[in-house]
Amino acid sequence: MKSVVIHAGGCVTVEEQPLPQIQNADEVLVKVRCAGLCGSDIPRIFHEGAHFYPITLGHEFCGEVVRTGEAVKDMQAGDRVACVPLQPCFACEECRRQLWSQCRRYQFIGSRSDGGNREFIVLPRRNLFRLPAGVSTVEGAFFEPLTVGLHAMQLAGGCTNKHVIVIGAGTIGLLALQAAKALGAASVSAVDINPQRLALAERLGADRVFNSAELSGEAIHTALDAQRFDQLILETAGSPQTVALALEIAGPQAQIGLIGTLHRDLTLSAASFGLILRRELRLLGSWMNYAGPWPGVEWQQATALFTGGHIDLEPLIAVQAGPQGYAEAVAALGGQPMNGKIMLDFTRSQQEAC
């Protein structure tokens, strides 16, 4: 089978590997159909951020059941499934409280073990989420990133009748924007420094957009005066500047969901810290995408959003290619962020030269 393999130093190759075999009764052999490159994969590829090398990444993927272990009674060949990449221990006190992302002994598919950027993978049954009829393989590969934003909304008690402001109009931000719109937000605004991304946010339903390269935080705060109450700000860009911006634009008692992962130190000025106190801001750290009965209510929400036609993915995808084209697109990043999602599509592998 073909596998996209990452070697130390940012080398991306397509290699032939043995077909994995079911070893345990609760396992399922899956033929991978579509997988997405996550922003968190870029440090693993280019900045020595993986747990080991060589590694096959991929935690945003879906596929089709080929075979099941004898203990798996609720799936059969041909079922379409999305990967649920977190592997909690299910035994610690955190897990008993259904705080899956807080598990002290968790593993993670596509990070701490090889992932789905290969034609076949064997996974435990509990790491597979059945896709409903009508959901495409591309949509299946977006279940995991969509639930990232949904988890922050869940921690905030939902977004119904709130003024949702998304900082960072990348993939996670634009998915969150569409989800908030569909889930009853009073208004949805987007903040970014890229005019093309802001235009796309408007196309996807943003009521207002703000270019923070042209407007100060104070100016955006003033422009949002009519929406200053009941705000839910989702910071998805993951930079010290955008975290500080979230505080600056926030209205009274705003909720601020911190989703983006920082790779540089954050230093808050006394003025920024003062805003937290004076405006009585509520900061919510959001980690991964699991809450409640495994794998979480977010995954059920994602199902409803996709089956209801509320999520438009086509404008979010920059590249959709078979293994060789995918490997070339990833290597071309050179460690820089994606400008649109890069998708590995094994249904296209036959059209590509090796």
Side-chain angles (χ1 to χ4, degrees):
M1 69 169 185
K2 284 184 171 57
S3 178
V4 179
V5 181
I6 307 301
H7 296 265
C11 179
V12 186
T13 62
V14 179
E15 302 176 11
E16 288 291 336
Q17 294 184 337
L19 187 73
Q21 302 296 318
I22 291 175
Q23 303 290 334
N24 300 302
D26 68 338
E27 291 180 334
V28 178
L29 175 64
V30 175
K31 181 176 179 62
V32 177
R33 293 298 190 184
C34 194
L37 180 71
C38 178
S40 67
D41 288 329
I42 294 176
R44 297 179 182 117
I45 299 168
F46 296 103
H47 306 304
E48 307 299 320
H51 288 281
F52 59 90
Y53 294 98
I55 184 171
T56 298
L57 298 174
H59 61 269
E60 304 176 358
F61 65 93
C62 75
E64 184 178 296
V65 172
V66 178
R67 281 195 306 277
T68 66
E70 59 185 17
V72 179
K73 304 300 184 183
D74 61 340
M75 281 191 172
Q76 58 187 1
D79 286 349
R80 293 179 308 118
V81 290
C83 175
V84 180
L86 180 66
Q87 295 183 304
C89 73
F90 293 98
C92 66
E93 183 61 26
E94 283 77 3
C95 284
R96 285 196 289 270
R97 292 171 180 256
Q98 298 187 341
L99 302 176
W100 311 117
S101 64
Q102 306 301 309
C103 174
R104 296 185 175 187
R105 295 185 291 271
Y106 78 89
Q107 296 296 314
F108 199 88
I109 297 161
S111 169
R112 296 173 183 243
S113 63
D114 284 330
N117 289 349
R118 46 182 162 160
E119 287 186 278
F120 294 89
I121 187 171
V122 170
L123 296 173
R125 165 64 185 92
R126 62 191 178 192
N127 288 106
L128 295 172
F129 185 84
R130 190 192 308 275
L131 296 177
V135 171
S136 71
T137 54
V138 173
E139 289 172 331
F142 273 87
F143 261 66
E144 199 278 341
L146 175 58
T147 54
V148 170
L150 290 173
H151 183 58
M153 296 179 205
Q154 179 72 18
L155 292 172
C159 61
T160 303
N161 296 325
K162 294 179 183 178
H163 297 290
V164 177
I165 303 160
V166 177
I167 300 179
T171 300
I172 297 296
L174 292 174
L175 288 171
L177 183 149
Q178 295 180 74
K181 192 84 173 179
L183 293 172
S187 70
V188 180
S189 301
V191 182
D192 204 286
I193 60 173
N194 184 313
Q196 288 74 34
R197 286 185 173 186
L198 292 173
L200 180 53
E202 284 191 297
R203 172 181 165 185
L204 294 174
D207 299 296
R208 306 186 72 179
V209 297
F210 302 96
N211 190 324
S212 56
E214 300 173 353
L215 295 170
S216 67
E218 182 179 355
I220 297 173
H221 175 74
T222 300
L224 289 168
D225 187 66
Q227 295 84 32
R228 66 188 182 278
F229 298 112
D230 303 312
Q231 286 183 352
L232 171 58
I233 300 173
L234 301 176
E235 194 291 311
T236 71
S239 75
Q241 293 89 345
T242 49
V243 173
L245 180 64
L247 303 176
E248 197 170 356
I249 69 176
Q253 297 191 342
Q255 295 174 299
I256 300 177
L258 300 175
I259 299 173
T261 302
L262 295 185
H263 297 287
R264 290 179 289 127
D265 288 345
L266 169 66
T267 302
L268 285 181
S269 66
S272 292
F273 186 78
L275 291 175
I276 299 174
L277 303 183
R278 291 175 181 275
R279 294 179 183 169
E280 297 185 339
L281 304 181
R282 290 88 190 275
L283 304 184
L284 299 169
S286 182
W287 187 244
M288 293 195 268
N289 38 354
Y290 309 89
W294 178 258
V297 296
E298 300 87 344
W299 295 74
Q300 300 299 332
Q301 284 182 318
T303 297
L305 289 169
F306 278 124
T307 56
H310 299 295
I311 306 297
D312 185 1
L313 298 178
E314 185 275 330
L316 306 184
I317 298 172
V319 175
Q320 186 173 347
Q324 192 60 42
Y326 173 85
E328 291 170 1
V330 172
L333 291 174
Q336 297 302 307
M338 288 180 285
N339 187 18
K341 199 74 165 177
I342 299 176
M343 304 294 295
L344 171 58
D345 187 343
F346 280 108
T347 69
R348 300 190 178 197
S349 60
Q350 298 305 315
Q351 285 78 45
E352 292 186 353
C354 297

